[in-house]
Amino acid sequence: MNTEQLVELVHARARRRFQRGLKRKPMGLIKKLRKAKKEALPNEKPACVKTHLRNMIIVPEMIGSVIGIYNGKTFNQIEVKAEMIGHYLGEFSITYKPVRHGRPGIGASNSSKFVPLK
């Protein structure tokens, strides 16, 4: 898939970003992914490439790569699939722990911690 076909698939914000050119850091990530793919054995997953670039748009060249995306605390590993093209890396690494409503937390009284057996 060439650049013109990719530009037709993605949203306006991504089109503008590609039109203005890839900067040094995103190009560095793509080079690291190429290197990891080249060094991987045939029929094996490439080595994980860690990154803080949550605003990087996934391009077809990244398909099959394993990327560790930083969420502010840890690196969440994802394997890039074809359906992910045009999305941002940050969409696949959640930065917060979802709220679990209805559970007793810190400072809850003993009566609210009670869970009946039946």
Side-chain angles (χ1 to χ4, degrees), residues 79-93:
E79 185 178 355
V80 180
K81 295 180 174 55
E83 301 86 52
M84 297 179 179
I85 293 174
H87 289 269
Y88 290 95
L89 287 178
E91 293 180 48
F92 304 102
S93 179

Side-chain angles (χ1 to χ4, degrees), residues 35-99:
K35 183 180 176 188
K37 269 188 178 180
K38 191 171 73 172
E39 291 175 353
L41 298 171
N43 301 324
E44 290 288 322
K45 286 185 182 178
C48 178
V49 176
K50 291 182 177 181
T51 184
H52 283 239
L53 297 176
R54 298 175 56 82
N55 62 348
M56 177 70 184
I57 298 166
I58 297 175
V59 293
E61 189 177 356
M62 295 179 174
I63 293 175
S65 299
V66 179
I67 305 174
I69 306 165
Y70 194 64
N71 68 357
K73 186 176 182 182
T74 59
F75 288 92
N76 295 335
Q77 285 192 6
I78 62 148
E79 185 178 355
V80 180
K81 295 180 174 55
E83 301 86 52
M84 297 179 179
I85 293 174
H87 289 269
Y88 290 95
L89 287 178
E91 293 180 48
F92 304 102
S93 179
I94 193 166
T95 58
Y96 62 92
K97 187 177 178 184
V99 177

